[in-house]
Structures are given as C-alpha cells and as structure tokens.
C-alpha cells in the first residue's frame, strides 16, 4: 500500500473509530471530506487530463439523515463537488448527481460516501433497494416549483489592475460575457475593451475562456488567447488595461 493510500485509510478509519466510541453525530464537514477523498481516489488519470466521477452516493444513519437532509446542505455538497473539480484541475463528464439515503445498518456517528461514473451502468441494488427515503440532487432535473437557486456560484473574477479595479463577479455554470456593452455580465469601462470582448463558457464542469473576435485581443497569463482557453485557479485574464483574477470562492 502506497503512503498516500495508507494515510487516506488511517484518516478515514480513525475518524470513524472515534465517532463510534464517542457516540457523536456526523458533521457536515466530515461528509465533505469523505466526498473529496472519494472523488480524488476514483479519478481516472490520462496523459492529457484527469476525469472524476459525476455520481455520488451518501449513506447516513436515520438520525443524521433527518438532521442533515435539508436543501441548503444538498446545495453545499453539489457546490463542493464542482469546486473540487476546478481546484484539482480535473474534468467531469455528464450531469453531476448527489444521492443521500438513510441506512439502519450504519453505526451511530458514521457515514459512507461512494462515487461512480454514470457510464459504469445502472445503479447497484444497494442503491435501488434502499430501505428509507432518498434525496437526489441532480441539477438537470430541477423543477421551478421547488424554488431552487437558478445557478450555483463557485468561482469569481476580480479586477486587480486597470480602470475597473476592484470590480467583482461571482458565477458558476452560466455562460458570462465581458466587455463594454451595458448588458454584459462583467461590464468594463476600459476604452481598450471591445463591446463584447470575451466570454466564459462552462464545459465538462470547467470554465473555458473564448475571445469574441475582439480588436485588441484577450490574454491569459500574458499569452494571447487564439483558441478556447481552459481557466485554472490563479489565472490572470488581461482585457485592454484591465487584469482579472480567476479564483474559486
């Protein structure tokens, strides 16, 4: 067993051991940490990119299920998974789904988190024959009557230099436009920016920057954008005299 896997094994089982002995409840932070471990453990590394699972299954005790299964927490889990993809420079294919279920077989103070790729086939019997209620958070299946947020915001752009310094925008899956036009998402007053200078799309759960055939060009870390540009945490986008910092919030 490698050192990394040994550390992950010890961390996971020692935490579970103390939770069982102390008879405590599972906290949201512990579920978040297990989700991160599972996402990174199951990622498939290729020569050019790493791809992570897009379906997560979480089991809680009945008590923890009743306490934690509220819409805000489900939203937080969804956003956490999206942020992990960006922070770890990975990709995710297909719609992201988070399933939470209660189980009578779990010891108090424990939970389980598993992940899979949706192209692995149908869900297992363990999932489809669950004993209690199941909540599935699948962005593609949202219905307006549920009064859910229209967008999950997980990244930001901050103007760190230029005429629009300190201008700020948080965004997520929605395609955004940058430039001097008043109905852009990020409005620039920079005279060297075009009306629609550039736009950022959301593809495979990553943000991709496109130059919109601007007059003066768009740059990332000093390099001119001539084809779709994958954005990574800490990238600096230059439009005219304006420098925008891309970060996970």
């Amino acid at each position: 067993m490698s050192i990394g896997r040994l550390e992950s094994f010890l961390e996971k089982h020692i935490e579970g051991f103390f939770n069982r002995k102390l008879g405590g409840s599972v906290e949201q932070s512990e579920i978040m940490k297990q989700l991160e471990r599972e996402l990174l453990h199951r990622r498939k590394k290729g020569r050019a990119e790493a791809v992570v699972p897009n379906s997560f299954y979480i089991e809680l005790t009945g008590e923890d299920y009743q306490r934690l299964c509220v819409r805000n927490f489900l939203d937080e889990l969804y956003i956490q998974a999206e942020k992990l993809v960006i922070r770890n420079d990975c990709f995710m294919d297909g719609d992201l789904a988070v399933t939470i279920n209660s189980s009578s077989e779990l010891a108090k103070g424990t939970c389980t988190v598993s992940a899979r790729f949706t192209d692995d086939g149908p869900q297992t019997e363990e999932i489809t024959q669950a004993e209690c209620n199941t909540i599935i958070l699948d962005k593609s299946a949202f219905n307006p009557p549920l009064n859910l947020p229209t967008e999950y915001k997980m990244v930001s752009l901050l103007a760190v230099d230029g005429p629009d310094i300190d201008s700020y925008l948080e965004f997520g899956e929605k395609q955004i436009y940058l430039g001097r036009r008043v109905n852009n998402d990020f409005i620039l007053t920079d005279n060297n920016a075009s009306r629609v200078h550039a736009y950022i799309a959301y593809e495979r759960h990553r943000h991709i920057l496109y130059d919109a055939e601007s007059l003066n060009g768009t740059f990332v870390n000093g390099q001119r954008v001539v084809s779709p540009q994958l954005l990574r945490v800490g990238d600096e986008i230059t439009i005219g005299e304006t420098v925008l910092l891309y970060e996970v919030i």
Side-chain angles (χ1 to χ4, degrees):
M1 183 180 291
S2 68
I3 294 177
R5 289 188 176 182
L6 177 61
E7 289 176 346
S8 178
F9 175 85
L10 291 174
E11 182 182 31
K12 179 178 179 180
H13 288 80
I14 287 174
E15 285 172 352
F17 170 80
F18 281 110
N19 282 337
R20 289 192 295 272
K21 289 299 182 183
L22 296 174
S25 300
V26 173
E27 297 301 324
Q28 295 183 11
S29 59
E30 168 57 20
I31 299 174
M32 295 285 194
K33 285 192 288 185
Q34 285 203 37
L35 185 147
E36 179 174 6
R37 285 197 294 262
E38 187 68 10
L39 180 144
L40 296 178
H41 175 69
R42 292 293 308 278
R43 64 181 165 180
K44 297 177 180 178
K45 294 183 178 181
R47 288 185 177 181
E49 61 186 35
V51 182
V52 297
N54 63 316
S55 181
F56 296 87
Y57 180 67
I58 301 167
E59 277 194 328
L60 305 171
T61 64
E63 180 181 334
D64 287 330
Y65 178 88
Q66 294 298 326
R67 179 173 57 89
L68 293 175
C69 278
V70 295
R71 180 56 57 183
N72 287 343
F73 180 51
L74 293 173
D75 287 343
E76 289 176 9
L77 285 173
Y78 188 97
I79 294 171
Q80 170 77 350
E82 297 276 29
K83 289 181 178 180
L84 287 170
V85 175
I86 298 170
R87 284 198 180 106
N88 290 281
D89 199 15
C90 301
F91 292 89
M92 179 187 289
D93 293 317
D95 294 325
L96 169 60
V98 179
T99 304
I100 298 184
N101 190 66
S102 62
S103 171
S104 60
E105 298 180 358
L106 288 176
K108 186 175 182 180
T110 63
C111 68
T112 63
V113 179
S114 58
R116 70 184 183 90
F117 296 85
T118 53
D119 59 1
D120 286 349
Q123 292 184 339
T124 64
E125 292 184 1
E126 179 185 16
I127 297 177
T128 57
Q129 296 179 2
E131 297 179 17
C132 303
N133 295 328
T134 299
I135 292 181
I136 301 177
L137 182 64
D138 185 343
K139 186 68 163 56
S140 64
F142 282 176
N143 296 313
L146 295 178
N147 194 30
L148 298 174
T150 56
E151 182 188 12
Y152 291 120
K153 297 179 179 179
M154 74 283 292
V155 299
S156 67
L157 288 177
L158 171 65
V160 294
D161 198 6
D164 298 293
I165 193 166
D166 293 333
S167 294
Y168 180 78
L169 175 70
E170 293 181 354
F171 62 102
E173 300 165 323
K174 173 188 170 186
Q175 183 165 301
I176 67 164
Y177 293 86
L178 304 88
R180 290 188 295 106
R181 191 179 62 176
V182 294
N183 57 345
N184 283 325
D185 300 277
F186 201 115
I187 302 171
L188 300 172
T189 61
D190 192 330
N191 290 327
N192 291 307
S194 298
R195 283 175 51 78
V196 180
H197 196 102
Y199 63 94
I200 298 175
Y202 194 64
E203 303 170 8
R204 300 180 70 197
H205 300 263
R206 295 297 299 273
H207 291 105
I208 311 295
L209 175 68
Y210 292 82
D211 179 74
E213 299 183 358
S214 64
L215 180 63
N216 295 316
T218 304
F219 299 80
V220 173
N221 301 327
Q223 299 296 314
R224 185 164 189 152
V225 174
V226 295
S227 60
Q229 174 71 46
L230 173 68
L231 292 177
R232 294 181 170 88
V233 175
D235 277 351
E236 292 187 344
I237 303 167
T238 301
I239 294 176
E241 300 299 321
T242 304
V243 179
L244 305 173
L245 179 65
Y246 172 82
E247 289 281 13
V248 172
I249 55 178

